[in-house]
Amino acid sequence: LPDADVEQLRKDIEEQVKQSISNAQRDIYLRIQDVVSHMADKLANYDPTASSRKDKGFFRNSLVDNVRDLCTLIPSLNVTDDPNLAHVLKDLEQVTRYDAEDLRKDGMLRKDTAKDAQRILDQIKDYM
């Protein structure tokens, strides 16, 4: 192949790699957004004084476990060493300090954790 064609192929491949990395980073943030928005919503709508389970807005133990699982995945998914993603990881670890049962029992803890989750959501909107 002529040098010009080889150069064009190299540029095309580099652009495809950059686009793939960009898409992968965006997917990480979308995944975080999905899991954390679920947590923020469930915690904010939980009412232990409600008479029926439907009105309580119950949540399962997996609410916290899903965020914890995400925390274990993020370091291996952060292939570009994105400092914003590293910062989000630290924040995510903070919202998983307490188990779901603790969040069910303690209204103030639940409220604070819901606020922290919402703050993370607001933060990652800037990164996306």
Side-chain angles (χ1 to χ4, degrees):
L1 290 174
D3 289 343
D5 290 344
V6 170
E7 182 63 22
Q8 185 59 46
L9 283 172
R10 185 186 63 73
K11 287 180 181 179
D12 290 346
I13 291 170
E14 284 177 1
E15 183 59 35
Q16 289 175 357
V17 168
K18 285 179 186 177
Q19 188 63 42
S20 294
I21 290 172
S22 176
N23 290 342
Q25 289 295 106
R26 181 166 171 74
D27 287 347
I28 295 168
Y29 284 112
L30 288 172
R31 192 170 188 178
I32 293 169
Q33 183 180 27
D34 183 49
V35 171
V36 175
S37 66
H38 183 70
M39 175 183 248
D41 180 57
K42 288 292 188 177
L43 293 178
N45 293 316
Y46 183 72
D47 181 6
T49 63
S51 58
S52 73
R53 186 174 183 183
K54 181 181 177 185
D55 293 335
K56 270 187 180 182
F58 74 97
F59 59 90
R60 300 184 193 289
N61 294 347
S62 61
L63 184 75
V64 176
D65 293 340
N66 290 341
V67 179
R68 285 180 180 150
D69 290 345
L70 192 56
C71 288
T72 62
L73 286 174
I74 289 175
S76 62
L77 298 175
N78 190 6
V79 296
T80 62
D81 290 326
D82 179 357
N84 295 327
L85 192 55
H87 182 73
V88 169
L89 174 59
K90 287 182 181 180
D91 291 342
L92 287 172
E93 289 169 341
Q94 290 300 308
V95 299
T96 63
R97 291 176 296 187
Y98 307 104
D99 290 327
E101 191 59 33
D102 297 328
L103 295 172
R104 283 186 201 97
K105 290 179 182 177
D106 189 327
M108 186 58 85
L109 188 63
R110 186 173 53 253
K111 183 179 177 183
D112 289 344
T113 303
K115 283 182 184 179
D116 290 343
Q118 186 59 52
R119 185 179 45 76
I120 291 169
L121 290 173
D122 295 340
Q123 179 183 4
I124 64 171
K125 285 179 186 175
D126 295 337
Y127 302 148
M128 296 173 60

